[in-house]
Amino acid sequence: MQGRLLIYILGLLIMVGINAQKITVKGGFVEDSLKIGEDIHYWISAEYPDQLELILPDTLYDFSPFEFSGKKYFPSKIKIDRAFDSAVYTLQSYEIDAVQSLSIPVFILNPTGDSTRIDAELDSIYFKQLLEVVTDTTSLKTNLAYQNVSTQFNFPLLWIILGVLLVLTLAIYLIFGKKIRKTMRLRKLKKDFITFSEHLTMDIRSLKESPNQKIAEHALTEWKIFLERLEQRPFSKLTTKEIMALEYTGELNGTLKNIDRCVYGGRSNEELYKDFQAIEDFTQHRYSVITDQIKNS
């Protein structure tokens, strides 16, 4: 009798543990139909144990067949030992498929540094045509009015001119191509670096006045995009762990972890602006290294 009672109690404890770890992800379209280029909205919510660290997709996620337009994130709520996260994504579509479907996932950050993906159920939305479909029974109106036709164009002369221009272009490219590519890339990198620096300076000033998760996420995203162009590596798709594995990023170890805690963990830090100042110094150094390599190659 005691043995059966012990087994029963053990079974209850296991069931309680399983329910405590249950993660519920729901999502779907707010509208039931869409037009080309029109904003539509997709909501997603997640319920999970509060000891887990969960993140929602950011602007770099592939929302195909839709294109990202905006995101409204609602702060996490904790009730007893359960956490609740939600967000609404603004999307656009330029596809003409009659039915278009999407499922946005969430990611659970594991202690090992990787993440576990959990998808919401697939939801669909209908494409609304602006023009009526032309059928086989549509009648055509005959027009017998005289139409003035222009004289014949001298195509042989056109092909000769295009051929000469092509030969001259190839000759210039073969002689000066490498120097032209260097100059164009340096000019493009300089323009991108100036734009990035101006945006980062404004974000640092804002973070210094008031730490903000949205501003930190925007600054981190712009940094990864610029570094991707500078280093010609897919930084926007790399995790912090993968970035730290590179041979020249060791000095950013603590910096990126602090930023991740704010962006993905929602933890406010008054000193966060200093981490982005470190990002600014690192990027300035890498810009100098890369531009010197291009000039001397």
Side-chain angles (χ1 to χ4, degrees):
M1 183 66 180
Q2 291 180 348
R4 292 182 179 178
L5 181 60
L6 181 61
I7 293 174
Y8 177 73
I9 293 173
L10 181 61
L12 286 177
L13 291 175
I14 292 174
M15 291 301 297
V16 170
I18 291 174
N19 290 332
Q21 294 297 322
K22 185 177 180 182
I23 302 172
T24 303
V25 181
K26 297 180 180 180
F29 291 103
V30 176
E31 296 84 1
D32 57 3
S33 62
L34 63 87
K35 297 178 183 178
I36 289 182
E38 180 181 63
D39 283 347
I40 56 172
H41 303 88
Y42 183 101
W43 64 271
I44 185 170
S45 65
E47 177 188 352
Y48 57 96
D50 63 350
Q51 72 270 20
L52 298 179
E53 192 169 354
L54 179 143
I55 60 174
L56 300 175
D58 60 11
T59 56
L60 301 178
Y61 181 75
D62 183 9
F63 294 90
S64 298
F66 302 92
E67 294 186 10
F68 178 84
S69 179
K71 171 186 175 184
K72 183 177 181 181
Y73 175 78
F74 300 93
S76 301
K77 296 182 179 180
I78 298 178
K79 187 175 181 181
I80 308 178
D81 60 347
R82 305 289 291 173
F84 301 84
D85 282 355
S86 61
V88 175
Y89 293 84
T90 302
L91 307 172
Q92 295 175 349
S93 175
Y94 296 90
E95 303 294 332
I96 59 173
D97 296 333
V99 179
Q100 301 179 29
S101 303
L102 180 66
S103 171
I104 294 181
V106 300
F107 300 91
I108 301 296
L109 299 183
N110 300 321
T112 55
D114 58 353
S115 61
T116 301
R117 172 178 175 147
I118 302 177
D119 291 277
E121 291 186 4
L122 190 68
D123 194 21
S124 299
I125 190 170
Y126 296 94
F127 171 68
K128 184 182 293 185
Q129 293 184 344
L130 300 178
L131 299 176
E132 296 182 0
V133 178
V134 179
T135 64
D136 294 337
T137 59
T138 303
S139 59
L140 300 178
K141 184 179 179 180
T142 303
N143 184 3
L144 300 178
Y146 173 76
Q147 298 293 324
N148 186 27
V149 180
S150 58
T151 56
Q152 186 177 3
F153 186 76
N154 191 346
F155 284 100
L157 179 60
L158 173 65
W159 293 121
I160 292 174
I161 294 174
L162 291 177
V164 172
L165 291 176
L166 179 61
V167 171
L168 290 175
T169 302
L170 288 175
I172 294 173
Y173 181 81
L174 291 175
I175 298 172
F176 304 104
K178 188 175 181 180
K179 185 175 181 180
I180 292 173
R181 288 194 301 271
K182 277 186 183 182
T183 303
M184 291 180 64
R185 189 180 177 205
L186 287 171
R187 184 178 299 174
K188 182 67 167 59
L189 285 177
K190 182 178 180 180
K191 180 180 178 182
D192 291 346
F193 178 70
I194 292 174
T195 302
F196 163 75
S197 297
E198 291 175 349
H199 290 178
L200 185 60
T201 298
M202 290 188 292
D203 289 338
I204 290 174
R205 187 180 300 116
S206 299
L207 290 171
K208 190 173 183 179
E209 294 174 355
S210 176
N212 182 287
Q213 182 184 19
K214 188 173 182 181
I215 295 177
E217 180 181 2
H218 174 266
L220 181 64
T221 300
E222 285 209 338
W223 174 67
K224 288 185 177 181
I225 291 174
F226 173 72
L227 211 60
E228 189 170 282
R229 296 171 183 168
L230 179 66
E231 303 283 356
Q232 295 187 332
R233 290 188 176 184
F235 276 85
S236 58
K237 298 179 181 179
L238 297 181
T239 63
T240 296
K241 184 177 180 181
E242 291 170 333
I243 292 175
M244 296 312 307
L246 300 175
E247 63 274 11
Y248 49 81
T249 56
E251 63 189 86
L252 297 179
N253 189 16
T255 298
L256 291 180
K257 288 182 179 178
N258 290 338
I259 295 175
D260 282 350
R261 291 190 189 100
C262 173
V263 173
Y264 304 120
R267 301 177 186 177
S268 179
N269 182 1
E270 297 293 335
E271 303 293 320
L272 184 62
Y273 73 92
K274 293 183 179 180
D275 294 309
F276 280 99
Q277 286 177 338
I279 288 286
E280 185 178 33
D281 294 339
F282 169 81
T283 309
Q284 171 70 57
H285 172 69
R286 290 304 302 169
Y287 173 76
S288 299
V289 171
I290 295 300
T291 51
D292 286 342
Q293 289 176 353
I294 296 173
K295 292 175 183 177
N296 297 327
S297 63

